[in-house]
Amino acid sequence: MRPRGHNEPVTDFSPHLNSASPERFPVVVVGAGPAGLTVGNILRAARVDCLVLETETREFIEARPRAGFIEEWAVRGLQARGLAGRLLERAPTHTECEFRVGGEAHRFGYTKLTGHRHFVYPQPLLVTDLVREYADVRGGAIRFGVRDVRLHGIGTDQPSVSYVCPGTGERRVVRCAFVAGCDGARGVTRTLLPPERTSRHDYGIGWLALLAEAPPSSDCVVFGIHGRGFAAHMARSPEVTRYYLECPPGDDPENWPHERVWAELHERLAASGARPLTEGRLIEKRVLDMHNYVVQPLVRGRLFLAGDAAHLTAPIAAKGMNLALHDAFLLGDGLVARLTKGDDSGLSGYSEASLRRVWQYQEFSLWLSDVFHGASSGDAFRAGTTLARLRRVLSLPSAAASFADLYIGKNTDY
Ligand SMILES: Cc1cc2nc3c(=O)[nH]c(=O)nc-3n(C[C@H](O)[C@H](O)[C@H](O)COP(=O)(O)OP(=O)(O)OC[C@H]3O[C@@H](n4cnc5c(N)ncnc54)[C@H](O)[C@@H]3O)c2cc1C
């Protein structure tokens, strides 16, 4: 058989399910989060076969609460790929946010400056839509509950992925042409890249992440900048609201009983004329130690990292899921071009194109973190300078325009 040229379409991967011999798929996607499922859907829409491997059950990933705000460019990217039907039907949109500081509330309308909105669509709903579309509509292969995923030969043009089958305990091998590493911050694929490729930033602060069974108490995201610590309010649904409270890193959620949580939220989010917060049962309470990392470049051989596997952005600026979708669009389109037309340009430019937006968002996250946490830093100089920054955004049209662009992620591919 004639050896295949580097850029020729890969066409000889018809899957077969005989467990005695290795299966073959052009692409194995490790991880069924927003990144992996979007890549899988893009491949299936182009009739490229792929296998998604996921350690958790379908029920678990469809219920895991995390993100809630999707930027308009990302929604349009999903829509262009036939993945936003239910989102566009059901998601309310936000056009403003509010800063509360010194007992005063300051509205900031970013949509009137950019034309772009946020769509409020909790991550479990998006994941549910993406799984259904991938597995039930587009007929994509997916294995839930797999154990001990390992990658082999990713420096060669015949890599493979193996995993332990949950039912039989048997190790199964899948040969492929490409591996998409979409297994999040605690996955296995990033460990295949040399550790010196990962740069990190630790904010040295914690956030108590809360979900309250309570309707939102404002029609927009509220950021409370307060000497006792930062606090935030974000709608998730008419019945559920996400709140954050700054706390020491590594704090124990048990240190935060119901009464203490609500007392701190009332105090840190107080502003004259503001609606009082509606309290409710706390259905999630976990401490996030705020840190970021970036792997650079995102590719090793036939392994392409995407989403949180490639870069983590603490939820300070609500960017992680948006970046995961950005990667998935680039990677999915690049894989389709390579596998169906032999066009390698998308894959060869993938890392650089992804990282351009990643670094803008990382920088914005650092900037915003200073604004959020300056007042509670115990350093009067930092408190003064970070408040000056906020006043600039709230008063100066050029500063407001630049902030709005980054906040909603418009024009950040420079
Ligand atoms: C409290 C909180 C609030 C957030 N709010 C926002 C927000 O408002 N906006 C925003 O944009 N982002 C937000 N984020 C970030 C966002 O949730 C993540 O960036 C997003 O989930 C990344 O998607 P992903 O597909 O890359 O990874 P994940 O969603 O983590 O998916 C990875 C998948 O891989 C699976 N997996 C792990 N290891 C393996 C393995 N070895 N083999 C196979 N599968 C594996 C996991 O079970 C998981 O299903 C928030 C995060 C948190 C924690």
Side-chain angles (χ1 to χ4, degrees), residues 50-395:
C50 66
L51 173 65
V52 176
L53 296 175
E54 168 59 51
T55 45
E56 303 290 352
T57 63
R58 182 168 179 168
E59 295 69 30
F60 182 87
I61 65 164
E62 288 181 347
R64 183 168 43 197
R66 279 188 182 170
F69 279 72
I70 313 184
E71 295 168 359
E72 178 141 2
W73 62 267
V75 172
R76 300 299 164 210
L78 289 167
Q79 186 182 19
R81 293 162 179 86
L83 299 171
R86 280 167 38 107
L87 186 163
L88 289 168
E89 267 168 40
R90 297 163 66 182
T93 58
H94 279 198
T95 60
E96 296 182 326
C97 60
E98 185 171 297
F99 296 90
R100 293 187 185 168
V101 56
E104 298 292 328
H106 306 270
R107 281 273 162 145
F108 183 81
Y110 49 90
T111 301
K112 70 175 186 298
L113 295 170
T114 60
H116 277 213
R117 296 163 295 170
H118 274 115
F119 289 71
V120 185
Y121 202 57
Q123 188 165 334
L125 295 184
L126 181 67
V127 167
T128 301
D129 294 352
L130 292 173
V131 177
R132 181 187 301 137
E133 184 67 27
Y134 173 76
D136 306 339
V137 179
R138 301 187 186 184
I142 186 162
R143 311 269 152 80
F144 291 102
V146 301
R147 297 277 165 260
D148 195 16
V149 173
R150 295 183 193 173
L151 275 55
H152 316 273
I154 55 161
T156 72
D157 62 1
Q158 292 181 326
S160 59
V161 180
S162 69
Y163 65 95
V164 172
C165 182
T168 62
E170 150 197 26
R171 179 164 289 281
R172 303 188 71 170
V173 178
V174 188
R175 297 202 192 289
C176 57
F178 296 98
V179 180
C182 305
D183 47 349
R186 295 198 178 83
V188 69
T189 58
R190 191 172 69 253
T191 65
L192 274 283
L193 276 75
E196 57 276 15
R197 282 208 203 170
T198 304
S199 52
R200 296 172 190 281
H201 177 76
D202 188 345
Y203 291 90
I205 52 159
W207 275 15
L208 183 68
L210 303 152
L211 276 178
E213 233 170 30
S217 299
S218 168
D219 58 356
C220 71
V221 168
V222 178
F223 302 119
I225 297 168
H226 197 282
R228 294 182 64 84
F230 172 74
H233 155 286
M234 295 171 192
R236 282 294 186 263
S237 73
E239 299 83 28
V240 173
T241 307
R242 186 173 276 298
Y243 287 97
Y244 292 113
L245 278 170
E246 182 186 349
C247 66
D251 204 356
D252 183 347
E254 292 310 308
N255 293 336
W256 291 88
H258 181 95
E259 295 69 25
R260 184 181 177 204
V261 163
W262 286 106
E264 287 292 330
L265 285 171
H266 284 296
E267 182 153 0
R268 297 185 196 184
L269 291 170
S272 57
R275 234 164 83 192
L277 302 182
T278 307
E279 296 190 12
R281 193 168 67 93
L282 299 171
I283 51 178
E284 189 195 58
K285 197 166 60 169
R286 51 193 282 235
V287 170
L288 308 174
D289 289 343
M290 305 306 252
H291 65 281
N292 293 353
Y293 61 74
V294 178
V295 178
Q296 188 170 250
L298 306 180
V299 181
R300 183 178 158 204
R302 293 296 183 100
L303 169 64
F304 293 74
L305 299 185
D308 280 9
H311 38 75
L312 190 75
T313 319
I316 291 166
K319 296 295 191 189
M321 186 163 73
N322 292 283
L323 284 176
L325 293 173
H326 186 242
D327 284 356
F329 300 153
L330 293 169
L331 182 54
D333 293 348
L335 285 167
V336 167
R338 170 72 176 87
L339 289 162
T340 60
K341 294 185 225 139
D343 172 0
D344 208 29
S345 56
L347 287 186
S348 58
Y350 167 68
S351 184
E352 199 191 325
S354 160
L355 289 170
R356 221 173 283 145
R357 185 177 285 262
V358 167
W359 282 118
Q360 288 299 334
Y361 280 16
Q362 295 286 11
E363 193 280 334
F364 182 63
S365 189
L366 283 181
W367 187 97
L368 198 57
S369 173
D370 276 348
V371 173
F372 286 168
H373 304 113
S376 53
S377 64
D379 175 341
F381 191 86
R382 240 185 101 191
T385 53
T386 54
L387 202 58
R389 272 190 197 179
L390 182 62
R391 281 203 310 274
R392 201 157 60 226
V393 167
L394 295 172
S395 328

